[in-house]
Amino acid sequence: MDLGFILSLLLTGLIIGALARLAIPGRNPMGLLTTMLVGIAGAFIGGLVSRGLGLASTFAFVVAVLCAAAIVYFMTGAARGRRGGLFGGGRRGLI
């Protein structure tokens, strides 16, 4: 693989991941690497979805951010109404 391709993939993943984190309210305890990986996963899933639906390539970026935001949503535990999610600290406040 070309170094330019890898750098553009990482930069795109970082941008999409950062936009996805901004889209989900609340604290997102993810580091830079996790944000980048979420963005890359969102771009991959969003690309598959937009291609499957026959959307133009301009909408693929929006779909990628939405998919990455869904990943952030589930990782931070907002879907379960808990604090923590996959990164969280277990059961708090229980005896």
Side-chain angles (χ1 to χ4, degrees):
M1 279 198 260
D2 185 23
L3 180 63
F5 173 74
I6 293 172
L7 289 176
S8 66
L9 178 70
L10 294 176
L11 183 62
T12 304
L14 184 62
I15 292 169
I16 290 174
L19 289 173
R21 286 181 62 184
L22 287 174
I24 302 300
R27 187 171 171 268
N28 296 320
M30 293 189 295
L32 187 65
L33 181 64
T34 308
T35 301
M36 197 178 298
L37 292 175
V38 165
I40 292 170
F44 180 74
I45 295 168
L48 290 176
V49 168
S50 62
R51 184 170 289 217
L53 295 175
L55 297 174
S57 61
T58 21
F59 294 112
F61 184 78
V62 174
V63 175
V65 172
L66 291 175
C67 289
I71 294 170
V72 170
Y73 183 74
F74 286 109
M75 287 179 72
T76 57
R80 292 179 289 280
R82 297 184 200 165
R83 301 178 130 217
L86 294 179
F87 296 116
R91 299 179 179 190
R92 296 181 187 164
L94 297 177
I95 298 175

